[in-house]
Amino acid sequence: MWKWLHPYAKGEATYRLLGLWQPWLSGLALIFVTVGLVWGLFYAPPDYQQGDSYRIIFIHVPSAMFSMGAYTGMAIAALIALVWQIRTAEWAIAAIAPVGATLTFVALFTGAVWGKPMWGTWWEWDARLTSQLILLFLYIGVLALYYAFNDARTGAKAAAILALVGVINVPIIHFSVYWWNSLHQGATITKFEKPSMPPEMLIPLLISIAGFLFLTAALITQRLRNEILKQELHRPWAMEKLGVEANDGV
Amino acid sequence: MAFDSWQEVIWMGGYGFYVWLAFGVSILAIAILVVHGLLTRKKLAQMAVKKQQQQQRIARRKQQERHRSMVTNDSTS
Amino acid sequence: MNKASSWQLLSAVMRRDLAVALRRRSDVINPLLFVVIVVTLFPLAVGPGPDVLGRIATGVIWVAALLSSLLGSERLFRDDFLDGNLEQLVLSPAPLPFLALGKIVVHWLLSGLPLVILAPVCALLLKLPFEAWGTLMLTLLVGTPMLSAMTAVGAALTVSLGRGGALLSLLLLPLFIPLLIFAAAAVESTLVGTSAYGQVLLLAGLMLLTLTLAPLAVAAAIRVSVN
């Protein structure tokens, strides 16, 4: 595996590979998200309890899923960056964090907007919403640390350590927030619980989840390619990729 | 289609404001992310052009200097 | 390098840190004063009635403790970084996480322990019912080592930045949330008359986990910062 993986530690090879993937990921993301959301918005039947307000689920659940998935991905990149000193993995942290933070924001916002008609308030200290909020803080912390240093390399490594510290804390924070919530609220919020979803709702939700998976991957790919170019701008290949004839060594 | 008319689609059984607000802001947030990525790329291209011009300037300067030194060498010898 | 000299190095580092801190007493005393002042502000803001104050007392004391731990945190590595001591620690033959743990312990002795001793005064000011004082002090005793350890991670990460203060609180405060929740719950359950045993044990478990892992993170962060 090492032999296969090693060339991709170099910026140019990774850039090429990601360039091959990007159109496919973007295309699949566009198709799946559009189909999933249009189906969910216009064709899925209304919920017998929540009426049409439940349609927010088609954005809320996928974005919440991949907001946490992206954090895991970022932590894995951080581990690779620290253990094997692979620069592409360092840049991946900077590429994943904004995407994850945006997904977290989307999950939070849709959760709050859904909460208004269901709970009668924009913000409920619901365990899920609270831990999403904390996840957003963690993302912002990683990003802030990444860009706080003059030396990009130091910033990336510091952010990698923070991401790893965060990933150990995420389950503890989740557990504590859920526990805190059950202590203070009792089991009042059961409206989000959906033990069995009819297939007419489940299928568009699954399509939407798949779409968000591709969307997350496409967004990360786009940002990672930018980051590689930015860091390798002094090399001729990066200049060529940006449509400029590089002429060093003249 | 779960709705009979476009009005009903917008009305969403009374939840239209919330549903469309959630969808609108979410799509906007992701669109901002995409556009930011594209703008970054454009900015990188501009930086590359600037860098290239710089390199060309340096190359030209070097050539001139080489030329001039050759000329002065000729005159002194 | 044999084991004995690692211990010697550790004790040298700890004694030095203690001596430096005791010569600049204001650095130790100011965060404690901060806690007392924050605790004084709350009755002025929400009114002096014992029903309100008693209910929010634990939360106020704990939040004040979290914030004060951030205040003193820059001193943890900043001077050592500036005068090159940190590089000596990195180059020293003793394992760096081991020395980092020593620094954490000294930091706790100077910031956490005084807070535990100060807790009854705060509890008195906020009219916390007397039966909960013991639990409050116990949670502080078990929780403040975690504070010191996590603060050390943040301080080590931001030590090479001139302006780490605001960033540090952004990095650290979200990570303190479980600590806050369990500590408040422990005191709460004493107040309603049930045992706080479970929550305190949970806190102790978290403390051991943090004290095991945090020195490794501190060591890694110091290596990054010193380079």
Side-chain angles (χ1 to χ4, degrees):
Chain A
M1 195 190 89
W2 191 239
K3 247 185 193 161
W4 175 82
L5 203 61
H6 199 69
Y8 295 106
K10 300 268 181 294
E12 190 180 358
T14 318
Y15 185 87
R16 287 232 174 93
L17 184 72
L18 292 175
L20 284 179
W21 289 353
Q22 200 181 2
W24 290 98
L25 289 172
S26 310
L28 284 170
L30 198 65
I31 293 167
F32 274 77
V33 170
T34 312
V35 170
L37 294 189
V38 168
W39 190 341
L41 265 177
F42 303 129
Y43 294 95
D47 186 64
Y48 74 100
Q49 218 179 1
Q50 303 189 19
D52 288 315
S53 74
Y54 94 96
R55 292 179 197 278
I56 294 173
I57 205 176
F58 295 110
I59 282 190
H60 180 72
V61 165
S63 58
M65 277 175 73
F66 294 113
S67 67
M68 285 177 228
Y71 199 92
T72 316
M74 188 173 76
I76 292 169
L79 187 71
I80 293 172
L82 286 177
V83 174
W84 288 290
Q85 309 274 326
I86 293 177
R87 300 207 63 188
T88 317
E90 291 174 11
W91 303 331
I93 298 169
I96 296 174
V99 177
T102 308
L103 287 173
T104 314
F105 166 75
V106 166
L108 258 183
F109 187 83
T110 51
V113 172
W114 197 2
K116 178 63 182 161
M118 288 302 107
W119 302 327
T121 165
W122 290 104
W123 183 260
E124 181 66 48
W125 286 100
D126 165 59
R128 260 167 277 202
L129 281 182
T130 311
S131 49
Q132 279 287 322
L133 183 64
I134 297 164
L135 189 65
L136 185 62
F137 292 151
L138 293 178
Y139 270 124
I140 293 173
V142 170
L143 268 179
L145 194 62
Y146 190 96
Y147 290 108
F149 291 84
N150 288 329
D151 176 37
R153 195 99 213 244
T154 313
K157 282 190 176 154
I161 294 172
L162 184 69
L164 282 182
V165 171
V167 87
I168 295 169
N169 271 278
V170 161
I172 299 173
I173 293 173
H174 264 262
F175 166 64
S176 68
V177 168
Y178 274 74
W179 187 76
W180 159 81
N181 188 56
S182 61
L183 193 75
H184 286 261
Q185 296 231 302
T188 50
I189 298 142
T190 47
K191 281 182 177 166
F192 274 162
E193 308 289 333
K194 293 215 167 291
S196 62
M197 231 186 183
E200 331 47 299
M201 296 179 185
L202 190 63
I203 291 170
L205 181 60
L206 290 179
I207 292 175
S208 188
I209 289 173
F212 267 76
L213 175 62
F214 293 129
L215 179 67
T216 311
L219 286 170
I220 292 172
T221 308
Q222 182 201 23
R223 300 195 87 86
L224 184 53
R225 290 182 85 205
N226 276 345
E227 193 69 23
I228 293 173
L229 280 184
K230 189 171 143 198
Q231 304 287 344
E232 303 261 277
L233 199 58
H234 55 282
R235 308 213 170 167
W237 75 264
M239 305 265 285
E240 264 166 46
K241 283 277 184 268
L242 285 164
V244 180
E245 191 77 9
N247 49 354
D248 59 0
V250 174
Chain B
M1 192 89 169
F3 300 98
D4 295 329
S5 66
W6 278 106
Q7 255 123 10
E8 266 183 57
V9 168
I10 292 166
W11 182 239
M12 280 279 163
Y15 295 118
F17 173 68
Y18 303 111
V19 173
W20 292 115
L21 182 67
F23 273 72
V25 170
S26 306
I27 290 167
L28 185 72
I30 290 164
I32 288 174
L33 200 65
V34 173
V35 171
H36 180 257
L38 294 176
L39 284 180
T40 311
R41 169 105 194 183
K42 203 177 241 175
K43 217 186 287 166
L44 284 173
Q46 284 167 357
M47 276 164 68
V49 170
K50 220 174 261 172
K51 204 158 200 175
Q52 185 208 27
Q53 287 167 347
Q54 197 186 349
Q55 282 175 353
Q56 280 173 344
R57 250 198 326 271
I58 293 170
R60 219 175 299 133
R61 191 76 44 81
K62 264 187 194 156
Q63 219 165 18
Q64 281 172 358
E65 260 165 40
R66 206 178 302 144
H67 190 69
R68 207 173 295 147
S69 67
M70 256 157 60
V71 172
T72 45
N73 280 347
D74 281 349
S75 63
T76 47
S77 63
Chain C
M1 190 78 191
N2 56 38
K3 210 170 150 201
S5 41
S6 270
W7 283 103
Q8 275 166 6
L9 249 171
L10 178 73
S11 82
V13 166
M14 286 175 72
R15 259 183 290 137
R16 182 188 152 276
D17 272 14
L18 266 176
V20 168
L22 290 178
R23 259 171 229 167
R24 283 206 267 138
R25 284 191 200 92
S26 64
D27 278 359
V28 178
I29 294 168
N30 285 351
L32 297 175
L33 281 178
F34 172 81
V35 172
V36 176
I37 290 170
V38 169
V39 163
T40 318
L41 289 180
F42 269 85
L44 300 174
V46 301
D51 46 335
V52 180
L53 281 183
R55 255 219 337 270
I56 63 168
T58 326
V60 171
I61 294 170
W62 258 102
V63 171
L66 297 188
L67 296 179
S68 83
S69 80
L70 291 177
L71 277 186
S73 59
E74 292 209 352
R75 144 192 120 221
L76 204 51
F77 297 115
R78 173 60 46 82
D79 294 342
D80 284 357
F81 176 73
L82 290 179
D83 65 16
N85 248 311
L86 218 48
E87 276 171 52
Q88 295 303 315
L89 285 188
V90 173
L91 294 174
S92 85
L96 191 54
F98 189 61
L99 300 178
L101 185 64
K103 285 186 97 69
I104 291 170
V105 170
V106 173
H107 183 256
W108 177 76
L109 283 177
L110 294 168
S111 66
L113 195 59
L115 215 57
V116 179
I117 298 163
L118 198 67
V121 180
C122 300
L124 183 78
L125 285 173
L126 289 174
K127 299 186 180 162
L128 185 73
F130 184 69
E131 65 266 24
W133 286 23
T135 317
L136 177 69
M137 288 178 73
L138 198 59
T139 58
L140 280 168
L141 188 67
V142 179
T144 43
M146 266 176 84
L147 279 186
S148 291
M150 296 304 295
T151 315
V153 177
L157 281 175
T158 55
V159 69
S160 60
L161 292 172
R163 62 222 180 279
L167 183 63
L168 195 62
S169 47
L170 177 68
L171 306 184
L172 286 179
L173 286 177
L175 301 177
F176 289 160
I177 288 168
L179 178 59
L180 186 66
I181 288 174
F182 290 124
V187 181
E188 184 89 24
S189 58
T190 314
L191 281 176
V192 299
T194 52
S195 165
Y197 195 59
Q199 286 91 320
V200 173
L201 276 188
L202 242 170
L203 273 180
L206 285 180
M207 179 192 78
L208 290 179
L209 183 71
T210 314
L211 284 182
T212 315
L213 294 180
L216 299 173
V218 172
I222 289 177
R223 287 220 166 85
V224 168
S225 293
V226 164
N227 273 338

